[in-house]
PDB file of all heavy atoms in Angstrom:
ATOM      1  N   ARG S   1       2.928  11.606  -2.576  1.00 65.00           N
ATOM      2  CA  ARG S   1       2.261  11.101  -1.349  1.00 65.00           C
ATOM      3  C   ARG S   1       1.289   9.874  -1.633  1.00 65.00           C
ATOM      4  O   ARG S   1       1.311   8.917  -0.952  1.00 65.00           O
ATOM      5  CB  ARG S   1       1.444  12.183  -0.661  1.00 65.00           C
ATOM      6  CG  ARG S   1       0.915  11.651   0.764  1.00 65.00           C
ATOM      7  CD  ARG S   1       0.222  12.778   1.529  1.00 65.00           C
ATOM      8  NE  ARG S   1       1.039  13.857   1.735  1.00 65.00           N
ATOM      9  CZ  ARG S   1       0.574  15.039   2.327  1.00 65.00           C
ATOM     10  NH1 ARG S   1      -0.556  15.206   2.557  1.00 65.00           N
ATOM     11  NH2 ARG S   1       1.571  16.036   2.657  1.00 65.00           N
ATOM     12  N   ARG S   2       0.622   9.972  -2.637  1.00 61.00           N
ATOM     13  CA  ARG S   2      -0.378   8.956  -3.155  1.00 61.00           C
ATOM     14  C   ARG S   2       0.450   7.700  -3.495  1.00 61.00           C
ATOM     15  O   ARG S   2       0.084   6.552  -3.131  1.00 61.00           O
ATOM     16  CB  ARG S   2      -1.334   9.447  -4.245  1.00 61.00           C
ATOM     17  CG  ARG S   2      -2.176   8.391  -4.850  1.00 61.00           C
ATOM     18  CD  ARG S   2      -3.222   8.147  -3.880  1.00 61.00           C
ATOM     19  NE  ARG S   2      -4.073   6.902  -4.367  1.00 61.00           N
ATOM     20  CZ  ARG S   2      -5.068   6.469  -3.758  1.00 61.00           C
ATOM     21  NH1 ARG S   2      -5.338   6.845  -2.466  1.00 61.00           N
ATOM     22  NH2 ARG S   2      -5.783   5.480  -4.236  1.00 61.00           N
ATOM     23  N   PHE S   3       1.542   7.940  -4.229  1.00 60.00           N
ATOM     24  CA  PHE S   3       2.411   6.721  -4.550  1.00 60.00           C
ATOM     25  C   PHE S   3       2.959   6.023  -3.434  1.00 60.00           C
ATOM     26  O   PHE S   3       2.872   4.844  -3.346  1.00 60.00           O
ATOM     27  CB  PHE S   3       3.441   7.211  -5.581  1.00 60.00           C
ATOM     28  CG  PHE S   3       4.454   6.004  -5.982  1.00 60.00           C
ATOM     29  CD1 PHE S   3       4.042   5.074  -6.876  1.00 60.00           C
ATOM     30  CD2 PHE S   3       5.589   5.886  -5.265  1.00 60.00           C
ATOM     31  CE1 PHE S   3       4.922   4.098  -7.328  1.00 60.00           C
ATOM     32  CE2 PHE S   3       6.413   4.904  -5.673  1.00 60.00           C
ATOM     33  CZ  PHE S   3       6.103   3.975  -6.698  1.00 60.00           C
ATOM     34  N   VAL S   4       3.448   6.680  -2.432  1.00 64.00           N
ATOM     35  CA  VAL S   4       3.984   6.134  -1.191  1.00 64.00           C
ATOM     36  C   VAL S   4       2.982   5.387  -0.440  1.00 64.00           C
ATOM     37  O   VAL S   4       3.060   4.208  -0.003  1.00 64.00           O
ATOM     38  CB  VAL S   4       4.649   7.221  -0.309  1.00 64.00           C
ATOM     39  CG1 VAL S   4       5.047   6.586   1.064  1.00 64.00           C
ATOM     40  CG2 VAL S   4       5.858   7.863  -0.889  1.00 64.00           C
ATOM     41  N   PHE S   5       1.717   5.968  -0.350  1.00 60.00           N
ATOM     42  CA  PHE S   5       0.534   5.310   0.288  1.00 60.00           C
ATOM     43  C   PHE S   5       0.321   3.987  -0.393  1.00 60.00           C
ATOM     44  O   PHE S   5       0.040   2.929   0.214  1.00 60.00           O
ATOM     45  CB  PHE S   5      -0.641   6.150   0.311  1.00 60.00           C
ATOM     46  CG  PHE S   5      -1.875   5.559   0.872  1.00 60.00           C
ATOM     47  CD1 PHE S   5      -2.050   5.413   2.207  1.00 60.00           C
ATOM     48  CD2 PHE S   5      -2.916   4.978  -0.034  1.00 60.00           C
ATOM     49  CE1 PHE S   5      -3.284   4.785   2.775  1.00 60.00           C
ATOM     50  CE2 PHE S   5      -3.850   4.291   0.538  1.00 60.00           C
ATOM     51  CZ  PHE S   5      -4.142   4.349   1.814  1.00 60.00           C
ATOM     52  N   ASP S   6       0.251   3.899  -1.721  1.00 61.00           N
ATOM     53  CA  ASP S   6      -0.079   2.687  -2.572  1.00 61.00           C
ATOM     54  C   ASP S   6       0.992   1.668  -2.320  1.00 61.00           C
ATOM     55  O   ASP S   6       0.649   0.535  -2.211  1.00 61.00           O
ATOM     56  CB  ASP S   6      -0.161   3.163  -4.074  1.00 61.00           C
ATOM     57  CG  ASP S   6      -1.379   3.848  -4.335  1.00 61.00           C
ATOM     58  OD1 ASP S   6      -2.370   3.732  -3.622  1.00 61.00           O
ATOM     59  OD2 ASP S   6      -1.302   4.457  -5.526  1.00 61.00           O
ATOM     60  N   VAL S   7       2.406   2.160  -2.270  1.00 65.00           N
ATOM     61  CA  VAL S   7       3.374   1.116  -1.949  1.00 65.00           C
ATOM     62  C   VAL S   7       3.170   0.514  -0.558  1.00 65.00           C
ATOM     63  O   VAL S   7       3.243  -0.663  -0.425  1.00 65.00           O
ATOM     64  CB  VAL S   7       4.743   1.777  -2.083  1.00 65.00           C
ATOM     65  CG1 VAL S   7       5.858   0.893  -1.553  1.00 65.00           C
ATOM     66  CG2 VAL S   7       5.120   2.222  -3.540  1.00 65.00           C
ATOM     67  N   VAL S   8       3.074   1.332   0.357  1.00 68.00           N
ATOM     68  CA  VAL S   8       2.826   0.855   1.748  1.00 68.00           C
ATOM     69  C   VAL S   8       1.670  -0.020   1.893  1.00 68.00           C
ATOM     70  O   VAL S   8       1.701  -1.214   2.496  1.00 68.00           O
ATOM     71  CB  VAL S   8       2.646   2.118   2.772  1.00 68.00           C
ATOM     72  CG1 VAL S   8       2.338   1.500   4.228  1.00 68.00           C
ATOM     73  CG2 VAL S   8       4.031   2.870   2.804  1.00 68.00           C
ATOM     74  N   GLU S   9       0.634   0.329   1.239  1.00 65.00           N
ATOM     75  CA  GLU S   9      -0.651  -0.497   1.201  1.00 65.00           C
ATOM     76  C   GLU S   9      -0.468  -1.877   0.594  1.00 65.00           C
ATOM     77  O   GLU S   9      -0.831  -2.980   1.039  1.00 65.00           O
ATOM     78  CB  GLU S   9      -1.790   0.268   0.747  1.00 65.00           C
ATOM     79  CG  GLU S   9      -3.132  -0.428   0.747  1.00 65.00           C
ATOM     80  CD  GLU S   9      -3.717  -0.514   2.205  1.00 65.00           C
ATOM     81  OE1 GLU S   9      -3.093   0.140   3.099  1.00 65.00           O
ATOM     82  OE2 GLU S   9      -4.600  -1.200   2.538  1.00 65.00           O
ATOM     83  N   GLY S  10       0.379  -1.803  -0.613  1.00 62.00           N
ATOM     84  CA  GLY S  10       0.643  -2.922  -1.303  1.00 62.00           C
ATOM     85  C   GLY S  10       1.472  -3.914  -0.632  1.00 62.00           C
ATOM     86  O   GLY S  10       1.388  -5.069  -0.680  1.00 62.00           O
ATOM     87  N   VAL S  11       2.438  -3.373   0.223  1.00 71.00           N
ATOM     88  CA  VAL S  11       3.319  -4.230   1.108  1.00 71.00           C
ATOM     89  C   VAL S  11       2.503  -4.916   2.151  1.00 71.00           C
ATOM     90  O   VAL S  11       2.635  -6.070   2.280  1.00 71.00           O
ATOM     91  CB  VAL S  11       4.321  -3.305   1.656  1.00 71.00           C
ATOM     92  CG1 VAL S  11       5.224  -4.098   2.741  1.00 71.00           C
ATOM     93  CG2 VAL S  11       5.436  -2.827   0.557  1.00 71.00           C
ATOM     94  N   ARG S  12       1.490  -4.119   2.706  1.00 71.00           N
ATOM     95  CA  ARG S  12       0.685  -4.732   3.830  1.00 71.00           C
ATOM     96  C   ARG S  12      -0.122  -5.827   3.248  1.00 71.00           C
ATOM     97  O   ARG S  12      -0.172  -6.806   3.961  1.00 71.00           O
ATOM     98  CB  ARG S  12      -0.057  -3.596   4.465  1.00 71.00           C
ATOM     99  CG  ARG S  12      -0.980  -3.949   5.559  1.00 71.00           C
ATOM    100  CD  ARG S  12      -1.885  -2.813   6.103  1.00 71.00           C
ATOM    101  NE  ARG S  12      -2.980  -2.577   5.016  1.00 71.00           N
ATOM    102  CZ  ARG S  12      -4.048  -3.339   4.862  1.00 71.00           C
ATOM    103  NH1 ARG S  12      -4.217  -4.437   5.705  1.00 71.00           N
ATOM    104  NH2 ARG S  12      -4.964  -2.967   3.947  1.00 71.00           N
ATOM    105  N   ILE S  13      -0.797  -5.587   2.074  1.00 70.00           N
ATOM    106  CA  ILE S  13      -1.726  -6.599   1.501  1.00 70.00           C
ATOM    107  C   ILE S  13      -0.800  -7.841   1.154  1.00 70.00           C
ATOM    108  O   ILE S  13      -1.214  -9.105   1.355  1.00 70.00           O
ATOM    109  CB  ILE S  13      -2.458  -6.115   0.457  1.00 70.00           C
ATOM    110  CG1 ILE S  13      -3.418  -4.959   0.923  1.00 70.00           C
ATOM    111  CG2 ILE S  13      -3.258  -7.160  -0.306  1.00 70.00           C
ATOM    112  CD1 ILE S  13      -4.111  -4.198  -0.367  1.00 70.00           C
ATOM    113  N   ALA S  14       0.395  -7.636   0.638  1.00 67.00           N
ATOM    114  CA  ALA S  14       1.328  -8.747   0.141  1.00 67.00           C
ATOM    115  C   ALA S  14       1.671  -9.633   1.226  1.00 67.00           C
ATOM    116  O   ALA S  14       1.646 -10.723   1.199  1.00 67.00           O
ATOM    117  CB  ALA S  14       2.382  -8.144  -0.610  1.00 67.00           C
ATOM    118  N   VAL S  15       2.173  -8.886   2.331  1.00 71.00           N
ATOM    119  CA  VAL S  15       2.645  -9.649   3.500  1.00 71.00           C
ATOM    120  C   VAL S  15       1.409 -10.553   4.103  1.00 71.00           C
ATOM    121  O   VAL S  15       1.666 -11.615   4.454  1.00 71.00           O
ATOM    122  CB  VAL S  15       3.168  -8.701   4.609  1.00 71.00           C
ATOM    123  CG1 VAL S  15       3.360  -9.428   5.812  1.00 71.00           C
ATOM    124  CG2 VAL S  15       4.456  -8.115   4.157  1.00 71.00           C
ATOM    125  N   GLN S  16       0.227  -9.942   4.096  1.00 71.00           N
ATOM    126  CA  GLN S  16      -0.943 -10.704   4.612  1.00 71.00           C
ATOM    127  C   GLN S  16      -1.122 -11.780   3.791  1.00 71.00           C
ATOM    128  O   GLN S  16      -1.476 -12.988   4.322  1.00 71.00           O
ATOM    129  CB  GLN S  16      -2.151  -9.762   4.685  1.00 71.00           C
ATOM    130  CG  GLN S  16      -2.094  -8.784   5.780  1.00 71.00           C
ATOM    131  CD  GLN S  16      -3.292  -7.866   5.798  1.00 71.00           C
ATOM    132  OE1 GLN S  16      -4.053  -7.818   4.855  1.00 71.00           O
ATOM    133  NE2 GLN S  16      -3.539  -7.116   6.955  1.00 71.00           N
ATOM    134  N   ALA S  17      -1.141 -11.625   2.520  1.00 71.00           N
ATOM    135  CA  ALA S  17      -1.396 -12.794   1.579  1.00 71.00           C
ATOM    136  C   ALA S  17      -0.427 -13.885   1.614  1.00 71.00           C
ATOM    137  O   ALA S  17      -0.576 -15.105   1.625  1.00 71.00           O
ATOM    138  CB  ALA S  17      -1.449 -12.289   0.175  1.00 71.00           C
ATOM    139  N   ILE S  18       0.887 -13.438   1.864  1.00 70.00           N
ATOM    140  CA  ILE S  18       1.973 -14.473   1.817  1.00 70.00           C
ATOM    141  C   ILE S  18       1.903 -15.248   3.151  1.00 70.00           C
ATOM    142  O   ILE S  18       2.037 -16.506   3.342  1.00 70.00           O
ATOM    143  CB  ILE S  18       3.279 -13.767   1.644  1.00 70.00           C
ATOM    144  CG1 ILE S  18       3.619 -13.378   0.309  1.00 70.00           C
ATOM    145  CG2 ILE S  18       4.498 -14.782   2.088  1.00 70.00           C
ATOM    146  CD1 ILE S  18       4.678 -12.355   0.312  1.00 70.00           C
ATOM    147  N   TRP S  19       1.531 -14.485   4.229  1.00 73.00           N
ATOM    148  CA  TRP S  19       1.464 -15.170   5.656  1.00 73.00           C
ATOM    149  C   TRP S  19       0.270 -16.082   5.579  1.00 73.00           C
ATOM    150  O   TRP S  19       0.309 -17.203   6.338  1.00 73.00           O
ATOM    151  CB  TRP S  19       1.245 -14.074   6.578  1.00 73.00           C
ATOM    152  CG  TRP S  19       1.328 -14.578   8.079  1.00 73.00           C
ATOM    153  CD1 TRP S  19       0.219 -14.810   8.917  1.00 73.00           C
ATOM    154  CD2 TRP S  19       2.401 -15.095   8.837  1.00 73.00           C
ATOM    155  NE1 TRP S  19       0.524 -15.419  10.107  1.00 73.00           N
ATOM    156  CE2 TRP S  19       1.831 -15.529  10.067  1.00 73.00           C
ATOM    157  CE3 TRP S  19       3.672 -15.389   8.445  1.00 73.00           C
ATOM    158  CZ2 TRP S  19       2.584 -16.235  11.046  1.00 73.00           C
ATOM    159  CZ3 TRP S  19       4.477 -15.970   9.495  1.00 73.00           C
ATOM    160  CH2 TRP S  19       3.972 -16.445  10.762  1.00 73.00           C
ATOM    161  N   ALA S  20      -0.711 -15.774   4.845  1.00 70.00           N
ATOM    162  CA  ALA S  20      -1.929 -16.679   4.843  1.00 70.00           C
ATOM    163  C   ALA S  20      -1.647 -17.938   4.187  1.00 70.00           C
ATOM    164  O   ALA S  20      -2.361 -18.999   4.430  1.00 70.00           O
ATOM    165  CB  ALA S  20      -3.179 -15.915   4.171  1.00 70.00           C
ATOM    166  N   ASN S  21      -0.622 -17.872   3.232  1.00 71.00           N
ATOM    167  CA  ASN S  21      -0.290 -19.168   2.517  1.00 71.00           C
ATOM    168  C   ASN S  21       1.130 -19.354   2.667  1.00 71.00           C
ATOM    169  O   ASN S  21       2.036 -19.333   1.743  1.00 71.00           O
ATOM    170  CB  ASN S  21      -0.621 -19.031   0.996  1.00 71.00           C
ATOM    171  CG  ASN S  21      -2.060 -18.719   0.838  1.00 71.00           C
ATOM    172  OD1 ASN S  21      -2.877 -19.672   0.754  1.00 71.00           O
ATOM    173  ND2 ASN S  21      -2.522 -17.477   0.646  1.00 71.00           N
ATOM    174  N   ARG S  22       1.640 -19.587   3.915  1.00 72.00           N
ATOM    175  CA  ARG S  22       3.015 -19.617   4.338  1.00 72.00           C
ATOM    176  C   ARG S  22       3.716 -20.668   3.523  1.00 72.00           C
ATOM    177  O   ARG S  22       4.835 -20.578   2.890  1.00 72.00           O
ATOM    178  CB  ARG S  22       3.199 -19.673   5.673  1.00 72.00           C
ATOM    179  CG  ARG S  22       2.688 -18.548   6.551  1.00 72.00           C
ATOM    180  CD  ARG S  22       2.997 -18.645   8.031  1.00 72.00           C
ATOM    181  NE  ARG S  22       2.247 -19.709   8.708  1.00 72.00           N
ATOM    182  CZ  ARG S  22       0.899 -19.462   9.222  1.00 72.00           C
ATOM    183  NH1 ARG S  22       0.388 -18.338   8.909  1.00 72.00           N
ATOM    184  NH2 ARG S  22       0.348 -20.514   9.662  1.00 72.00           N
ATOM    185  N   MET S  23       3.141 -22.007   3.664  1.00 74.00           N
ATOM    186  CA  MET S  23       3.816 -23.122   3.133  1.00 74.00           C
ATOM    187  C   MET S  23       3.965 -23.026   1.660  1.00 74.00           C
ATOM    188  O   MET S  23       5.009 -23.277   0.975  1.00 74.00           O
ATOM    189  CB  MET S  23       3.097 -24.357   3.499  1.00 74.00           C
ATOM    190  CG  MET S  23       3.789 -25.680   3.017  1.00 74.00           C
ATOM    191  SD  MET S  23       5.441 -25.802   3.612  1.00 74.00           S
ATOM    192  CE  MET S  23       5.123 -26.145   5.313  1.00 74.00           C
ATOM    193  N   ARG S  24       2.822 -22.548   0.966  1.00 73.00           N
ATOM    194  CA  ARG S  24       2.871 -22.463  -0.583  1.00 73.00           C
ATOM    195  C   ARG S  24       3.893 -21.388  -0.978  1.00 73.00           C
ATOM    196  O   ARG S  24       4.702 -21.641  -1.943  1.00 73.00           O
ATOM    197  CB  ARG S  24       1.496 -22.050  -1.017  1.00 73.00           C
ATOM    198  CG  ARG S  24       1.265 -22.014  -2.499  1.00 73.00           C
ATOM    199  CD  ARG S  24       0.001 -21.555  -2.778  1.00 73.00           C
ATOM    200  NE  ARG S  24      -0.289 -20.154  -2.680  1.00 73.00           N
ATOM    201  CZ  ARG S  24      -1.597 -19.675  -2.948  1.00 73.00           C
ATOM    202  NH1 ARG S  24      -2.566 -20.449  -3.425  1.00 73.00           N
ATOM    203  NH2 ARG S  24      -1.707 -18.299  -2.760  1.00 73.00           N
ATOM    204  N   SER S  25       3.967 -20.335  -0.314  1.00 73.00           N
ATOM    205  CA  SER S  25       5.006 -19.257  -0.537  1.00 73.00           C
ATOM    206  C   SER S  25       6.281 -19.681  -0.449  1.00 73.00           C
ATOM    207  O   SER S  25       7.303 -19.431  -1.151  1.00 73.00           O
ATOM    208  CB  SER S  25       4.707 -17.961   0.351  1.00 73.00           C
ATOM    209  OG  SER S  25       3.419 -17.480   0.179  1.00 73.00           O
ATOM    210  N   LEU S  26       6.598 -20.483   0.677  1.00 72.00           N
ATOM    211  CA  LEU S  26       8.018 -21.057   0.967  1.00 72.00           C
ATOM    212  C   LEU S  26       8.452 -22.034  -0.150  1.00 72.00           C
ATOM    213  O   LEU S  26       9.433 -21.962  -0.688  1.00 72.00           O
ATOM    214  CB  LEU S  26       8.041 -21.778   2.248  1.00 72.00           C
ATOM    215  CG  LEU S  26       9.376 -22.254   2.749  1.00 72.00           C
ATOM    216  CD1 LEU S  26      10.314 -21.196   2.865  1.00 72.00           C
ATOM    217  CD2 LEU S  26       9.280 -23.067   4.008  1.00 72.00           C
ATOM    218  N   LEU S  27       7.508 -22.913  -0.635  1.00 75.00           N
ATOM    219  CA  LEU S  27       7.914 -23.882  -1.583  1.00 75.00           C
ATOM    220  C   LEU S  27       8.052 -23.076  -2.879  1.00 75.00           C
ATOM    221  O   LEU S  27       8.859 -23.549  -3.803  1.00 75.00           O
ATOM    222  CB  LEU S  27       6.769 -24.873  -1.838  1.00 75.00           C
ATOM    223  CG  LEU S  27       6.518 -25.881  -0.594  1.00 75.00           C
ATOM    224  CD1 LEU S  27       5.136 -26.716  -0.784  1.00 75.00           C
ATOM    225  CD2 LEU S  27       7.623 -26.805  -0.356  1.00 75.00           C
ATOM    226  N   THR S  28       7.321 -21.959  -3.218  1.00 73.00           N
ATOM    227  CA  THR S  28       7.513 -21.260  -4.287  1.00 73.00           C
ATOM    228  C   THR S  28       8.850 -20.717  -4.451  1.00 73.00           C
ATOM    229  O   THR S  28       9.485 -20.498  -5.520  1.00 73.00           O
ATOM    230  CB  THR S  28       6.333 -20.122  -4.399  1.00 73.00           C
ATOM    231  OG1 THR S  28       5.137 -20.634  -4.260  1.00 73.00           O
ATOM    232  CG2 THR S  28       6.579 -19.218  -5.665  1.00 73.00           C
ATOM    233  N   THR S  29       9.426 -20.284  -3.335  1.00 76.00           N
ATOM    234  CA  THR S  29      10.741 -19.742  -3.303  1.00 76.00           C
ATOM    235  C   THR S  29      11.920 -20.650  -3.571  1.00 76.00           C
ATOM    236  O   THR S  29      13.104 -20.167  -3.650  1.00 76.00           O
ATOM    237  CB  THR S  29      11.008 -18.963  -1.971  1.00 76.00           C
ATOM    238  OG1 THR S  29      11.040 -19.780  -0.967  1.00 76.00           O
ATOM    239  CG2 THR S  29       9.937 -17.863  -1.838  1.00 76.00           C
ATOM    240  N   LEU S  30      11.633 -21.898  -3.598  1.00 79.00           N
ATOM    241  CA  LEU S  30      12.685 -22.973  -3.654  1.00 79.00           C
ATOM    242  C   LEU S  30      13.673 -22.790  -4.782  1.00 79.00           C
ATOM    243  O   LEU S  30      14.891 -22.793  -4.710  1.00 79.00           O
ATOM    244  CB  LEU S  30      12.231 -24.407  -3.705  1.00 79.00           C
ATOM    245  CG  LEU S  30      11.722 -24.925  -2.306  1.00 79.00           C
ATOM    246  CD1 LEU S  30      11.157 -26.404  -2.520  1.00 79.00           C
ATOM    247  CD2 LEU S  30      12.838 -25.098  -1.394  1.00 79.00           C
ATOM    248  N   GLY S  31      13.028 -22.355  -5.978  1.00 76.00           N
ATOM    249  CA  GLY S  31      13.861 -22.137  -7.227  1.00 76.00           C
ATOM    250  C   GLY S  31      14.663 -20.960  -6.971  1.00 76.00           C
ATOM    251  O   GLY S  31      15.907 -20.904  -7.410  1.00 76.00           O
ATOM    252  N   VAL S  32      14.150 -20.002  -6.460  1.00 80.00           N
ATOM    253  CA  VAL S  32      14.838 -18.747  -6.239  1.00 80.00           C
ATOM    254  C   VAL S  32      16.074 -18.948  -5.225  1.00 80.00           C
ATOM    255  O   VAL S  32      17.170 -18.455  -5.237  1.00 80.00           O
ATOM    256  CB  VAL S  32      14.024 -17.587  -5.718  1.00 80.00           C
ATOM    257  CG1 VAL S  32      14.805 -16.260  -5.379  1.00 80.00           C
ATOM    258  CG2 VAL S  32      12.848 -17.331  -6.649  1.00 80.00           C
ATOM    259  N   ILE S  33      15.679 -19.720  -4.152  1.00 83.00           N
ATOM    260  CA  ILE S  33      16.686 -20.018  -3.182  1.00 83.00           C
ATOM    261  C   ILE S  33      17.925 -20.767  -3.655  1.00 83.00           C
ATOM    262  O   ILE S  33      19.078 -20.495  -3.540  1.00 83.00           O
ATOM    263  CB  ILE S  33      16.084 -20.891  -2.073  1.00 83.00           C
ATOM    264  CG1 ILE S  33      15.065 -20.182  -1.232  1.00 83.00           C
ATOM    265  CG2 ILE S  33      17.221 -21.529  -1.054  1.00 83.00           C
ATOM    266  CD1 ILE S  33      14.397 -20.932  -0.238  1.00 83.00           C
ATOM    267  N   ILE S  34      17.587 -21.783  -4.662  1.00 81.00           N
ATOM    268  CA  ILE S  34      18.713 -22.502  -5.218  1.00 81.00           C
ATOM    269  C   ILE S  34      19.511 -21.679  -6.074  1.00 81.00           C
ATOM    270  O   ILE S  34      20.762 -21.559  -6.280  1.00 81.00           O
ATOM    271  CB  ILE S  34      18.088 -23.730  -6.058  1.00 81.00           C
ATOM    272  CG1 ILE S  34      17.384 -24.716  -5.169  1.00 81.00           C
ATOM    273  CG2 ILE S  34      19.170 -24.364  -6.957  1.00 81.00           C
ATOM    274  CD1 ILE S  34      16.600 -25.830  -5.764  1.00 81.00           C
ATOM    275  N   GLY S  35      18.805 -20.847  -6.939  1.00 79.00           N
ATOM    276  CA  GLY S  35      19.576 -19.796  -7.853  1.00 79.00           C
ATOM    277  C   GLY S  35      20.451 -18.771  -6.992  1.00 79.00           C
ATOM    278  O   GLY S  35      21.592 -18.648  -7.397  1.00 79.00           O
ATOM    279  N   ILE S  36      19.900 -18.343  -5.901  1.00 81.00           N
ATOM    280  CA  ILE S  36      20.700 -17.418  -5.061  1.00 81.00           C
ATOM    281  C   ILE S  36      21.863 -18.022  -4.428  1.00 81.00           C
ATOM    282  O   ILE S  36      23.015 -17.461  -4.421  1.00 81.00           O
ATOM    283  CB  ILE S  36      19.775 -16.661  -4.071  1.00 81.00           C
ATOM    284  CG1 ILE S  36      18.840 -15.854  -4.734  1.00 81.00           C
ATOM    285  CG2 ILE S  36      20.644 -15.816  -3.145  1.00 81.00           C
ATOM    286  CD1 ILE S  36      19.387 -14.587  -5.558  1.00 81.00           C
ATOM    287  N   VAL S  37      21.594 -19.319  -3.866  1.00 82.00           N
ATOM    288  CA  VAL S  37      22.745 -20.090  -3.337  1.00 82.00           C
ATOM    289  C   VAL S  37      23.847 -20.251  -4.287  1.00 82.00           C
ATOM    290  O   VAL S  37      24.991 -20.103  -4.090  1.00 82.00           O
ATOM    291  CB  VAL S  37      22.217 -21.341  -2.724  1.00 82.00           C
ATOM    292  CG1 VAL S  37      23.426 -22.334  -2.357  1.00 82.00           C
ATOM    293  CG2 VAL S  37      21.370 -21.082  -1.516  1.00 82.00           C
ATOM    294  N   ALA S  38      23.376 -20.713  -5.512  1.00 78.00           N
ATOM    295  CA  ALA S  38      24.338 -20.987  -6.694  1.00 78.00           C
ATOM    296  C   ALA S  38      25.129 -19.705  -7.002  1.00 78.00           C
ATOM    297  O   ALA S  38      26.430 -19.739  -6.905  1.00 78.00           O
ATOM    298  CB  ALA S  38      23.557 -21.487  -7.840  1.00 78.00           C
ATOM    299  N   VAL S  39      24.563 -18.573  -7.206  1.00 78.00           N
ATOM    300  CA  VAL S  39      25.255 -17.429  -7.575  1.00 78.00           C
ATOM    301  C   VAL S  39      26.111 -16.849  -6.431  1.00 78.00           C
ATOM    302  O   VAL S  39      27.256 -16.516  -6.639  1.00 78.00           O
ATOM    303  CB  VAL S  39      24.352 -16.278  -8.114  1.00 78.00           C
ATOM    304  CG1 VAL S  39      23.505 -15.692  -6.916  1.00 78.00           C
ATOM    305  CG2 VAL S  39      25.111 -15.290  -8.881  1.00 78.00           C
ATOM    306  N   THR S  40      25.684 -16.889  -5.237  1.00 80.00           N
ATOM    307  CA  THR S  40      26.552 -16.322  -4.199  1.00 80.00           C
ATOM    308  C   THR S  40      27.592 -17.318  -3.756  1.00 80.00           C
ATOM    309  O   THR S  40      28.816 -16.764  -3.438  1.00 80.00           O
ATOM    310  CB  THR S  40      25.550 -16.093  -2.907  1.00 80.00           C
ATOM    311  OG1 THR S  40      24.847 -17.182  -2.542  1.00 80.00           O
ATOM    312  CG2 THR S  40      24.690 -14.824  -3.171  1.00 80.00           C
TER     313      THR S  40
END
């Protein structure tokens, strides 16, 4: 139960941090986007 709580809390904090820096997070994913587009 503790582990599940930590995961849920980690997801909540991570989403808040990503949303607070939306443009930076989007630009960070460009390399991943290119890689996924290439492989798929």
Side-chain angles (χ1 to χ4, degrees):
R1 184 180 296 178
R2 177 68 185 176
F3 178 75
V4 173
F5 174 80
D6 287 339
V7 170
V8 172
E9 187 67 11
V11 170
R12 184 185 66 80
I13 296 172
V15 169
Q16 287 178 347
I18 292 170
W19 184 252
N21 299 279
R22 296 185 290 278
M23 185 56 69
R24 186 177 72 182
S25 300
L26 183 63
L27 293 174
T28 303
T29 63
L30 280 178
V32 177
I33 291 171
I34 293 170
I36 293 300
V37 168
V39 71
T40 51

